[in-house]
Amino acid sequence: MIPAKLPYNETERIEVLNSLKILDTVADDDYDNLTELASFICSTPISLISLIDTDRQWFKSKKGLTACETSRDMSFCAHAILDPLEILEVPDARKDIRFIDNPLTQIETPVIFYAGIPLNTEQGIPLGTLCVIDHKPNALTSEQKEALKKLGKQVERLLLLRTKNNELTITKESLKKHNGLLKEFASVVSHDLKMPLANLILTSDIVKKKYSNEIDDKGKEYLDYLKKSSLSMSDYITKILDHYECISYDIDDTQQFGINDLLEDVIDLMSIKDNCEILTPEKNIDINCNSTALQQIFINLIGNSLKYGDKEKTIIEIEARDNNDFYEFKIRDNGRGIEKEKLETIFGLFVTIGHLDNTGEKGHGIGLSTVQNLVESLGGIITVSSELGSYSEFVFTIAKRL
C-alpha cells in the first residue's frame, strides 16, 4: 500500500475545508440525493461524498456504507485529489500498486473498484471527491463518467452555496455588532446633545418670562429665535437617529397583519386635524413583513403630506395591492407638489427641495432617505411622481416573506 502524497497546497486546502464548517455535520438530503443518483447511474452498491481532512476522510453523504470516516492513509480519495481535473478510476484495486494490501481491500465487503471525481472550489482547490465503489472489478462507460462529472459539479455548487451562506452569516453578525455600537452611540448623542438643547429651550422661556419687563422687543425676538433654533436642532438630531435606527431593524422579524389595522395605528399616532381626510384601502389585505419598518414608512410619507399640504382640505389616498411576489402600496396627496427637476434626487440623504412646511420650517432631507432605506431593506423599490401645485404620489413595493 502506498499512502497518497500531500497536495502542494495542503495548508491552504485544509484552511478552506475548515472554513466551510461542514465536517461532522448531520446528513443533508441535497447531498444524499446526489449520492443516490451516482450509485444508480454507475450501477455500484456504494457512492460517497468524501472530504479529505488532515488525517481522515469524512463522508458528508454515503450510500451503501455505514462508516462515517476512515483513515486518510487508506483513502482512495486522497489519491484522487492529487489530480483535481480528472476522474481517478481503479478497475481492480488488488492489482494496483497503490492499493495492494490496503486494509479496505481485505475486509468482508472490500473496495475492489473505485472511481472518484475531485470536488474543487472556484479557485481549483480540491476538498474531496464524489466517488462510486464496487466489491468486484468494474469499469465505467464514457456516459457514466460524464454523468459522474456533472453530479460532481452539482456537489461543488452546494459547497459554494454553503461558502456564500457562511459569508452572509459572518456579515450579518458583523452588522448586528455594528448596529449595537450604533445604538450605544445614538444613546450618547441623545443625552449629550439633546439635553443641552432642552436646557437652552427651557432657559430661554424662563429668561423671557422672568425678565420680561427688562427686555425690549428685539431681545424677546432673539430669545424666540434661540428657542426656535434649539427646537429645530433637537428635531434634526431626532430624525438622524431615526434614520440610522431603521438600519438596525431585524427585517426577518415578520408578522402577519391587516394593512388597514396598521394604518389605523399610524393615523392614531399622528393626531390628524379636522381639515385632513385619509382614505385607506377598500380591502384590508393581509401583509406578512416587518410591521415596524412598514409603519415607519407610512409615518414618514403621511407626515410629509400633512406638513406640505397647501389646500383648504388635505386629502391623502392610500392603496394596497397583493401581487404575485410582492405587495404594492400607493400614497397620493393633493398638496403643493414637487418640481420635476428635483424628483430624481429627492431620496438623497440631506437633500431638500427648498419648500417651507406649514410651520415655516425647512426640511432636513432625512425622512425620504429613511423611507428608501426601509423599502429596499424589505426587498422593494420606491418611485415618485408629482405635478407642481396639484399632487405628489409615492409608489413602493415590498417583497413577500414566507
Side-chain angles (χ1 to χ4, degrees):
M1 182 182 79
I2 303 176
K5 296 179 180 179
L6 295 180
Y8 74 93
N9 57 352
E10 177 67 4
T11 301
E12 180 184 8
R13 196 188 68 78
I14 292 298
E15 288 178 356
V16 173
L17 179 60
N18 289 333
S19 72
L20 272 174
K21 299 180 181 179
I22 194 173
L23 296 174
D24 300 309
T25 55
V26 298
D28 188 317
D29 286 344
D30 289 335
Y31 294 91
D32 290 345
N33 290 337
L34 294 175
T35 51
E36 287 277 355
L37 279 172
S39 181
F40 175 77
I41 291 170
C42 296
S43 299
T44 59
I46 297 175
S47 61
L48 308 167
I49 293 175
S50 173
L51 299 172
I52 308 302
D53 199 1
T54 305
D55 55 7
R56 62 171 176 158
Q57 63 173 352
W58 176 79
F59 307 127
K60 174 57 184 172
S61 177
K62 53 188 187 292
K63 159 72 175 174
L65 190 71
T66 56
C68 295
E69 61 182 61
T70 65
S71 168
R72 180 170 177 173
D73 288 342
M74 299 186 293
S75 170
F76 285 58
C77 298
H79 287 272
I81 65 172
L82 296 178
D83 188 350
L85 302 179
E86 295 296 331
I87 289 179
L88 172 63
E89 185 173 24
V90 182
D92 189 339
R94 297 166 300 183
K95 299 178 181 179
D96 191 307
I97 191 172
R98 295 168 294 182
F99 306 110
I100 292 174
D101 298 328
N102 187 307
L104 296 177
T105 67
Q106 312 298 318
I107 58 179
E108 185 177 350
T109 53
V111 177
I112 303 300
F113 167 78
Y114 172 91
I117 180 70
L119 304 173
N120 303 313
T121 66
E122 285 186 309
Q123 293 73 34
I125 299 173
L127 303 178
T129 72
L130 169 63
C131 64
V132 292
I133 294 171
D134 206 341
H135 307 308
K136 63 183 189 300
N138 202 341
L140 297 183
T141 65
S142 58
E143 290 82 4
Q144 288 173 325
K145 289 180 181 179
E146 190 62 31
L148 191 62
K149 288 181 179 180
K150 289 180 178 179
L151 290 174
K153 290 297 181 184
Q154 292 303 314
V155 179
E156 289 177 351
R157 290 189 178 95
L158 289 176
L159 295 175
L160 176 60
L161 181 61
R162 185 178 184 88
T163 299
K164 298 299 183 185
N165 286 339
N166 287 345
E167 290 173 355
L168 287 174
T169 299
I170 293 172
T171 300
K172 184 176 180 179
E173 290 302 316
S174 176
L175 287 174
K176 286 178 67 175
K177 182 179 179 180
H178 170 76
N179 287 335
L181 294 173
L182 189 60
K183 285 185 178 181
E184 292 179 13
F185 173 73
S187 177
V188 171
V189 169
S190 179
H191 180 272
D192 290 357
L193 291 182
K194 295 190 72 175
M195 287 302 294
L197 286 172
N199 290 335
L200 280 173
I201 295 167
L202 181 61
T203 302
S204 63
D205 283 339
I206 292 174
V207 169
K208 184 176 179 181
K209 183 176 181 180
K210 187 173 182 178
Y211 299 100
S212 177
N213 295 330
E214 302 176 34
I215 302 174
D216 60 16
D217 291 342
K218 195 65 176 179
K220 293 176 182 177
E221 184 179 329
Y222 287 145
L223 286 173
D224 288 339
Y225 179 74
L226 176 63
K227 179 179 179 180
K228 184 177 180 181
S229 297
S230 299
L231 286 169
S232 178
M233 179 60 73
S234 179
D235 181 59
Y236 182 60
I237 293 170
T238 298
K239 283 182 167 57
I240 290 178
L241 295 180
D242 288 344
H243 175 78
Y244 288 104
E245 179 72 16
C246 80
I247 301 173
S248 66
Y249 287 155
D250 186 355
I251 299 304
D252 292 331
D253 182 15
T254 63
Q255 307 89 31
Q256 186 164 324
F257 51 89
I259 183 61
N260 284 345
D261 300 324
L262 179 137
L263 288 172
E264 286 176 9
D265 290 340
V266 169
I267 293 169
D268 288 342
L269 285 172
M270 303 191 74
S271 302
I272 306 300
K273 297 180 179 179
D274 293 337
N275 68 336
C276 176
E277 181 179 4
I278 299 181
L279 306 175
T280 56
E282 293 183 4
K283 185 177 180 181
N284 188 24
I285 65 172
D286 288 331
I287 306 293
N288 189 29
C289 76
N290 185 301
S291 62
T292 304
L294 185 59
Q295 187 179 65
Q296 188 66 42
I297 292 170
F298 277 112
I299 287 174
N300 275 281
L301 293 179
I302 293 173
N304 279 351
S305 295
L306 295 175
K307 287 193 296 183
Y308 296 102
D310 64 346
K311 307 298 188 297
E312 185 175 339
K313 183 173 185 178
T314 298
I315 299 176
I316 302 172
E317 302 175 70
I318 302 173
E319 298 179 11
R321 295 179 182 176
D322 184 347
N323 294 323
N324 290 332
D325 300 316
F326 57 88
Y327 306 104
E328 181 181 271
F329 305 95
K330 183 184 296 182
I331 177 167
R332 180 186 179 104
D333 63 49
N334 64 337
R336 67 187 66 177
I338 305 165
E339 290 85 345
K340 185 176 181 179
E341 63 272 14
K342 296 180 179 179
L343 292 177
E344 292 184 2
T345 61
I346 197 171
F347 294 107
L349 183 60
F350 304 127
V351 173
T352 65
I353 59 175
H355 295 173
L356 299 180
D357 64 22
N358 294 331
T359 64
E361 294 291 327
K362 185 179 179 181
H364 300 302
I366 299 174
L368 288 180
S369 178
T370 300
V371 166
Q372 185 179 55
N373 281 348
L374 286 169
V375 169
E376 291 178 350
S377 70
L378 291 169
I381 58 173
I382 184 167
T383 60
V384 59
S385 61
S386 182
E387 182 178 319
L388 198 60
S390 180
Y391 76 92
S392 292
E393 180 178 275
F394 292 86
V395 178
F396 67 94
T397 60
I398 61 174
K400 287 187 176 180
R401 302 186 70 84
L402 302 178

